[in-house]
Structures are given as structure tokens and as C-alpha cells.
Amino acid sequence: MPPANLPENETARLAALCQYNILDTPAEAAFDEIATLAAALCDTPIALVSLVDSTRQWFKAKIGLAVEETEREVAFCGHAILQPDLLIVPDASQDQRFADNPFVLDDPQIRFYAGAPLLTAEGHAMGTLCVIDSVPRDLSLEQAQALRVLARQVMTQLELRRHVKDLAQTVTQVTESERALQIAQATLESQVSDRTAALVQTNATLQVEINERLQAEKQLQQQVEHNRLLGAIAARIRESLQLDDILQTAVAEVRHFLQVDRVALYEIEVNQGGRFVVESVAPGCPSILGLVLHDHCFETDYAAQYQQGRISAIDDIEQAELSPCYREVLAPLKLRALLLVPIIFKEQLWGLLCMHHCSAPRPWQDFELSALQQLATQVAIGMQQAQLFQQVQQQAQREQLLNQISRALNASLDPNHILQEIVNRIGACFSVERVVVFALVAEQMQVLNEWRANDQVASLLHCRAPLNLWTAWLDPTSACYAPQLFQMPLLTAEQPVSTEPGQQPSPSLAVLHVPINIGDQFLGGLCLHTTASQHTFTADELSLLEQIAAQAAIALCNAQSYERLEQLVQQRTQALEQEKLRSEAANRAKSEFLANMSHELRTPLNAVLGLSQMLQRELFGSLNPKQQEYVTCIHSSGNHLLLLINDILDLAKVEAGKEELALLPLSVSKLCAYCLTLVQERAFEQGLRLISHIDPRVSFCMADERRLKQILINLLSNAIKFTSVGDVSLTVQKQPQGLTFTVSDTGIGMAEAQIPLLFQPFVQLDSRLNRRYEGTGLGLALARELAQLHGGDITVESTLGQGSQFTLYLPDEPPGLKQIQPVTNLLIPSPRRTLSQRQTASSRRILVVEDDIASAMLLQDFLQALGHRVEHWADGSNFLERVQLFRPALILLDVQLPHGITGFDLLTALRQEAALYQLPVVMVTAMAMQGDRERCLAAGATDYLSKPIQTVQIESLLSQYLSVT
């Protein structure tokens, strides 16, 4: 076989190897344990820590091999030290470099070899950590990475071994120096006593010499203190397994040793700056524990340098040349001197060991820098030990998990609750993002229960998969039924599944399936998914999950029994659903009848409400108190009747499927402000506080503006109505596929049994409430119908005596989305003025065309009371001639007129006259169905009013179209 080439730095490499003084030393437990761990992780019979000198390879630790050393020319490691990374030989008998090697042809008959070079900080390869097998094979990615990590641990032990020996030599040198110093001092004292006169003459020179000796002694004492500190901290790390204790000890000892104002550990958080997690502070120095710093320069300019071992020492920050960015970061710390040493944990920059001096500048000594570098290494070792201890604790937690699941099985008879408890507890114990239990249901695999680490992990709850994708579970000879568990790590996507609409399962990086069986019968399975990172499940985890699956089998068997019972219940539910459909058909017929009747009720209501309003305002004379009371009662009753008619009409249209939404993108902030403005007066009258909060992520929503306002005003009005003291709030929050409007109050609340009655038309929860709180019993029923028409819903949470919470959910894209252009010619209310102000305004001519005497009287009397000249026509005969003669500034025109002429006919004729084309015409009609307004505007009307009309609407018309000031 051809011998391996010598490394280019062979001379320097051999010199470095000699400095470790390791060759031909007795076995040491630390190296033997690493070799044992390497053999176990890589599943090989042989593992070696091999050191290569000029003529041989010598084994510092060996597992599975009896010899102490071999000749270098036949050593596999002679080739491995030439590599910057692992040397892997899957089959030596097929590799021309090793096929005729005596260790391949004879014992131990090497076939597989993998060696990781033991590299010093200067890049010299001292030897290898290698694993050997007598059968051809290869390493997994995880095994290869583990071998690299263990090789670095071997070098850490070699460095630590050398440092300990150097430390012993230093202590010996210091001891000898102290002894020599004592002798010199004794000699000096003898000379002083014998030669007092001579010393007086040379006192100045002697003082200088003494000072120099004292300074040397101080430096030696500092070196001894430095070595003592390192030894004490190293011993403390070996004694404690609690990371907090280790870190706190480190900062306290360092501050005592360096005599600085503050020592702290700064943990770096990726893309988020970092924070100070541990500190030791001198009296009078401010604490920075928990302080978060966002150093934007760190990632770009310094992180890579600290990763390579950079130390930053600044003696005087005020005099140092620092970037403006760095000075801005240091400003809150109020420092004069700074020393930063990196802490490398698992080959990554974990953080910085920070020495702060606040009172004055401070020069940093070389030996201090060296000491702190070694200390940072000791801290990293302590962190690794603490992590191993944490893994032991996790094992104890898993055993506790089994006990908790067992107690859950014994404490409940509800299989669904038990299965949910199982997935919840597994999720809390295992480092995964999703845990599911699935079962064989109706020839499909269906997910019954699920746990997710957070809302960003896609839900698989109720997902189904055809059985032909899972035939392995039904095959007794498949891996699913083998003694070992079935594991599929490092997947890039899951099997396709059939999900509910709108659900898309996220891909998993690792999946662990465990079958759930009772005897030979397959019931389902228990699945663990990782979606954030790759993961290989350990043997302990697999064993634990197998025990949990055995317990889950009992609960899943019970769940299938409940499934059969639910099928019987479902059949009965379907029969009831048919009965419900028949009942709904009867309700729709009733609603259609009421909608037709509402048109006939609006005309007389117009007179009732309008004339009662005029009486209330005493336009034609004062009323006595009893008359005012009667008129107020008439007007209130008329409004109540109008509200009832509107709600009945709206509910009938929705139930009959005649309601069409004008969906537009609406500003949520403006919408909420409008609704709150409408109810704020009543809230203030009752002494209530109105609160609103809008999620910053919410700007617009897609809805019918009029209907959404109707829903929100209804919910806000109800909240104010049933709240006597406290708050009423409106909260808007963004949801994954929509948004919610939540109206909360601190009112009377309701019992849970009453909630199902809330949305039934004409139903009051308590007949006694109807006497105290007015209402039609239709508002919530209509609001929910309108919400469902948007593709959303209204839900309720309430506690009797504490208040209620109504939540309106609207999807981002309502079903049947069809945007309609908004009508911009809307009637905008004008500021109200007193009667005297209106009477002093300019008198204008107004024409009223109305066949109903009561409605005409209402308009004519009110307009005349405002000082206008009003003319009333009961029909449209000679319309154009009379208009040209009267020359009105505004026409109020009814639609339904006698003698076969409609308001539309008169409007069409008017618009054909060029001189009258710009004349404002407002249609005043009892037509209040959907589309009536658009029909009037399309015919040429300037505006539209639906009866019954309010006096404030008339005033707004005058302000808008007559320019009354």
C-alpha cells in the first residue's frame, strides 16, 4: 500500500505535539469517555483517540482494540491528518489506498473507517478521533456532526490538560520567586543593619530599587491571584450543574479580581440586539440587569470578528476613536473604560463577558486579557454541562408525563377529553410543533385531536386521508407492526390529505408515526411533527411514545363506540332539520306578507310622526304640560311602530332571500366613529363611558355600509339600554381570514340558558324587561341575519349581573363578492338652528305635489312656519305650465298620484325642459323597498326621502338645496 504523504507543516506539527507532553502517558478517564461516546453514537465496535508522531500512531484512548500503537506507514490516521474535515472510508477493501493494508487483510479486518482530525488553533493536526467497523457502512449526517463535535472536545481536553500543567509550573515559579525574594529581603535587612551610614548616603538609589522590587512582587502576586481565580472558577464549574450559579460566580469573581465597577454577561439575540442577563456591581454603580441594547453596527461590523476570538479593550472611552453608532450604544451605560471578551458556545457566538469601569479611565493589562480568555472558555464548558443536566431533567419529566396520562385515563370517561389531554401533554414534553391523534373512520384516516405549538402552525384537525394512502397500517408484515417503531425523519412534505375548505396543511421536516392497536386490530395512530427545524427522535423518545400509544388505544376504542352512538343522534337530527325547514318556509310567507303591508302603514305614520313633531316644537302655539305629555307619547309610539315596521320589513327581505348587499371597501375607523357618535348622547345621559379600540392592522373591511352600520348601532344601542353604570366598548381585531367587532358592556347580563333565545324574532328574554326596556324583539334577529348574509355571524358571551359581549365576525371576502358603486348624492344633515333663526332666513317658494291630505298638510304647515311660500297641488294636471308660473326654488314630489299620472311622469317632463333642468326635485314617497332610492335618482330626482319623514330631514333639505344661511 502507498504510504500517506507528510503534511506541509510536518515540522511545526511535531513541535506542537511535543508541547502537549501527552505521548506515552497513562490512560485518562476524560479521553476514554469521549472514545466510548463516539463508539456508541456511531454504532461501531472500535473507537480510538490517535496521536501521530514522526514514526508511529499512539493511542491515548482505545475502545475495542488491544494494541497501544502501530507504525505510521500503515496507519489510516496518517491519511486523515491531511484532511481539513472528516476522512470517511465506507469500504477499505475497495479503496486502492488501503486494500492491501495488513489491518484490512488480517485482524481487525477493517472495512469501515471515519476519522476527524484533532486540530489546534493554528491548524496543526495532532491526530484523529476515529471509529472503525469490520463491515462496510457509512455515517449519517447526525453521526458525522457528532464525531466532529467530539473531536473538538478531545482538543479541549488536550488544551485544558496543557493549561493545568502550565499553571502548576507557574505556581512553582512563583513559589521559588517568593522564596528568593524573602532571602533577598533578609540579606538586605542584614546589610542595612551593618552599613547604616552607607545606606543613608545611597538612600535615594535604594528607594528606587525597593520600589522596583515591590512592583515586581505586586505583579507576581497578581499573577498568583490570576491563577487562583482560574482554578477556583474551574472547580466551581465542576461542582455546580446550575447555569445561573455558574454565571453569577464568574462575574462576582472577575469583579473582585479586576477591581472594576461592574462585570456583566451580555447575551446576543439573533436579529434582536441583546440584553444583560447576569451582573456584579460595585456599591454606587447603577445596575444594567435586563437592559436591552440594539447595536445595529454589531451584526455588520463586529459579530464575525468576535466569533473568531476578538477582544475589545478601551482604556478611555472619551479619548478613543469610536464610530458614532458605537458611541450611541455605549451612552446609556455611562462608561469610562471597557473590556469585552467573547463567549463561544457550540461554535457560535453566545455573548460577551463585559468589564465596565465607570468612575475613571483604566488601563487593561495583558495578563488580564489572557485570564479572561481562559475564563470565557470555562464559562462555555459550564454551559455545556448545564445543558447535559437539563437533558437528564427532561427524562424525569417524561416519566412524569406517563404518570399524568395514566391519571387522566382513570379520572375521566370522556375519550375525546382523554385524547386531547394526551396530545396536550405530549406537545408540552416533546420538542415538536404539532401532535395529532388519527383514527380509522368510515374507511378513511381522520385526525381526531390536535396540539399545536402556536397559531402559525397549520391545523390538521378533522383532516381526512383516503385509506389507499395508508395501506402499510393494514399490512401485518409492514414496519408499522415490527418490534421497532416506524420513524420517518427529515421529510420535506406530508402525504396529501383531504381537508376542510380553506385549510392547507404545512409541510413537516420530521414525522414520527406510532400505531395504536388493541391486539391485532389497528385503531389509529399517534403522530409527532416538526415544522420549524429538522429533528431525529431518540430511542428514549420512541420508547416513551410507544407506551403512550398503548394507553391511547383504550381511549380511542371508547371514541369509536361513541361514534356509533353519534350516528344514531345524527339521524334524529336530520329528521328535526326537515321539520325546521318546513317551519322556516311558513315564516318566510309570513314575512313577505308583513313586508307588503309595511308600505301601506308608512303614509299614515308620516302624518302621525310629522304632526306630533310640530306640536312638540310648538310652532303654532304653546301646549300645557299634559298636552306636551300626550304629544310626546304619540310621537314615541309612532317611532316605536316605525322601528317595528322597518325591522319586520328588513327581516322579511333577508329571510325571503331578496336582500342584496352593496359591498364596498369601508374605512373601519370612520365607520366606528360614525356609529359611536350616534349613540354617544344617550350614553352620556346615562352616565356611561364609551370606549373604542381598533387593531392597528385593520384599515378597511368589505361590507354593505348601511347594513353594517345598522348592525353596529343595534349592538351599541342594546348595550347602552341594558347598562346603568360602567362602560360600553367597541373593539375591532384582525383575525386570520377576517375581522371582529366586539361590543362589551357592564350591564345586567343574562343567564346561559337565555342566550339561545336572543336571536328569535319577537322574543323578549323576560316579559318584565319589556316594561322597563323598550324594544321590538327584532333587532338582534335582524342583525344576525344581516351578519350571516355577509358570510359572518354574531356570537354572545354573558354573565348574569356582570355584563355581556357580542362579537360580529366578518370575512375578508364575503360570499358572492360583487362591488357596487356608492351613491354619492346623499342627504347630509345640516347644523340645527332655532326657529327664530330659520324665520329670519330668506323666504323661498316651495312646491308640494302630494295626494295624501295629511302628508301635504304636514309639509305645507311646517314650511310656512319657517317663513317660506308654499303651494300644494294634489295632482299633476297642467304641471309644467303651473311650475313655470309659480317658479319654485324646490319641488317636493310624491310618486303615487291620482288620474294615472305618477311622479316619475312629471319628473321626466320637467327634465326635458332646459330652463327647468337644474331645478331641485326631491321625491317624497312611501316606497321604501330596496332599489326604490336608486330608481328615483335614475329618473332624474335630486334626492329621495322615504316616509315617514322627520322635520330635521326637511330642514336639511332646505339647507342643502336652498342655501339657507
Side-chain angles (χ1 to χ4, degrees), residues 44 72 138 146 251 280 295 364 383 703 732 793 850 871 932:
T44 60
R72 178 172 178 175
D138 207 339
V251 296
S280 176
D295 187 355
W364 305 103
M383 293 169 65
V732 184
D793 201 358
E850 172 65 68
E871 188 167 319
D932 287 341

Side-chain angles (χ1 to χ4, degrees), residues 575-590:
L576 294 174
E577 186 68 24
Q578 294 297 324
E579 183 64 27
K580 178 184 176 183
L581 292 175
R582 288 190 290 270
S583 176
E584 289 176 348
N587 286 335
R588 283 194 296 272
K590 175 193 69 177

Side-chain angles (χ1 to χ4, degrees), residues 554-609:
I554 300 173
L556 196 56
C557 182
N558 292 338
Q560 292 182 342
S561 300
Y562 275 87
E563 180 79 15
R564 290 189 290 270
L565 180 60
E566 288 178 354
Q567 291 176 357
L568 297 176
V569 174
Q570 185 177 10
Q571 294 174 0
R572 178 57 181 161
T573 303
Q574 290 175 351
L576 294 174
E577 186 68 24
Q578 294 297 324
E579 183 64 27
K580 178 184 176 183
L581 292 175
R582 288 190 290 270
S583 176
E584 289 176 348
N587 286 335
R588 283 194 296 272
K590 175 193 69 177
S591 299
E592 291 173 3
F593 168 76
L594 294 174
N596 293 330
M597 289 300 298
S598 71
H599 179 272
E600 300 302 323
L601 295 174
R602 288 181 179 274
T603 298
L605 268 179
N606 185 50
V608 172
L609 291 175

Side-chain angles (χ1 to χ4, degrees), residues 725-736:
V725 63
D727 303 331
V728 172
S729 64
L730 173 59
T731 303
V732 184
Q733 290 183 314
K734 186 72 181 76
Q735 302 299 329

Side-chain angles (χ1 to χ4, degrees), residues 605-896:
L605 268 179
N606 185 50
V608 172
L609 291 175
L611 294 174
S612 62
Q613 255 189 316
M614 292 173 61
L615 289 174
Q616 281 181 313
R617 299 172 68 171
E618 299 180 338
L619 296 179
F620 302 99
S622 301
L623 302 178
N624 61 42
K626 181 56 70 173
Q627 291 171 332
Q628 271 287 5
E629 181 182 352
Y630 287 171
V631 170
T632 301
C633 182
I634 292 171
H635 188 266
S636 176
S637 299
N639 272 328
H640 186 80
L641 181 57
L642 176 62
L643 179 61
L644 178 60
I645 292 171
N646 287 336
D647 286 349
I648 291 174
L649 181 61
D650 287 341
L651 188 59
K653 286 192 295 184
V654 173
E655 290 181 344
K658 297 180 180 179
E659 177 73 13
E660 293 184 4
L661 300 178
L663 298 176
L664 298 170
L666 305 177
S667 169
V668 173
S669 60
K670 293 181 180 180
L671 175 74
C672 293
Y674 174 85
C675 295
L676 290 170
T677 300
L678 290 185
V679 300
Q680 68 180 359
E681 183 175 352
R682 182 173 180 182
F684 292 159
E685 288 176 356
Q686 295 180 210
L688 303 178
R689 185 174 62 165
L690 281 179
I691 302 172
S692 68
H693 174 72
I694 300 177
D695 192 327
R697 298 174 296 171
V698 177
S699 299
F700 295 91
C701 68
M702 186 66 65
D704 185 304
E705 181 176 9
R706 182 171 69 92
R707 292 308 192 184
L708 181 53
K709 287 179 179 178
Q710 184 177 356
I711 296 171
L712 294 179
I713 292 173
N714 183 284
L715 296 179
L716 288 167
S717 298
N718 278 350
I720 294 172
K721 181 196 306 182
F722 294 104
T723 302
S724 59
V725 63
D727 303 331
V728 172
S729 64
L730 173 59
T731 303
V732 184
Q733 290 183 314
K734 186 72 181 76
Q735 302 299 329
Q737 295 181 351
L739 71 160
T740 57
F741 297 81
T742 301
V743 176
S744 304
D745 63 63
T746 57
I748 62 175
M750 68 195 83
E752 185 175 355
Q754 294 176 311
I755 292 179
L757 304 175
L758 276 177
F759 302 102
Q760 296 185 15
F762 303 103
V763 173
Q764 287 280 359
L765 297 185
D766 189 336
S767 60
R768 293 172 297 178
L769 294 178
N770 198 26
R771 300 189 183 100
R772 180 179 177 186
Y773 304 102
E774 63 178 15
T776 65
L778 286 174
L780 285 177
L782 177 59
R784 190 174 205 179
E785 292 282 358
L786 292 174
Q788 292 175 347
L789 194 60
H790 281 81
D793 201 358
I794 296 178
T795 56
V796 186
E797 295 180 8
S798 184
T799 302
L800 187 62
Q802 297 183 14
S804 303
Q805 179 176 291
F806 287 77
T807 299
L808 165 65
Y809 169 76
L810 293 180
D812 289 333
E813 295 186 2
L817 179 60
K818 179 181 178 182
Q819 296 190 26
I820 299 177
Q821 293 298 324
V823 178
T824 58
N825 189 17
L826 299 179
L827 187 59
I828 302 174
S830 62
R832 297 187 61 180
R833 300 181 304 277
T834 65
L835 180 60
S836 60
Q837 288 175 324
R838 291 190 292 271
Q839 289 175 335
T840 59
S842 301
S843 176
R844 306 295 292 274
R845 297 182 181 186
I846 300 175
L847 174 61
V848 176
V849 183
E850 172 65 68
D851 65 331
D852 182 69
I853 301 302
S855 297
M857 179 176 63
L858 164 65
L859 292 171
Q860 189 170 13
D861 290 352
F862 183 71
L863 293 172
Q864 287 176 346
L866 296 179
H868 297 288
R869 180 180 173 185
V870 183
E871 188 167 319
H872 166 232
W873 302 342
D875 56 39
S877 58
N878 301 320
F879 179 69
L880 291 179
E881 292 81 356
R882 296 163 70 184
V883 168
Q884 291 172 346
L885 182 61
F886 182 58
R887 291 184 297 171
L890 174 66
I891 298 178
L892 304 180
L893 180 60
D894 191 10
V895 174
Q896 296 180 348

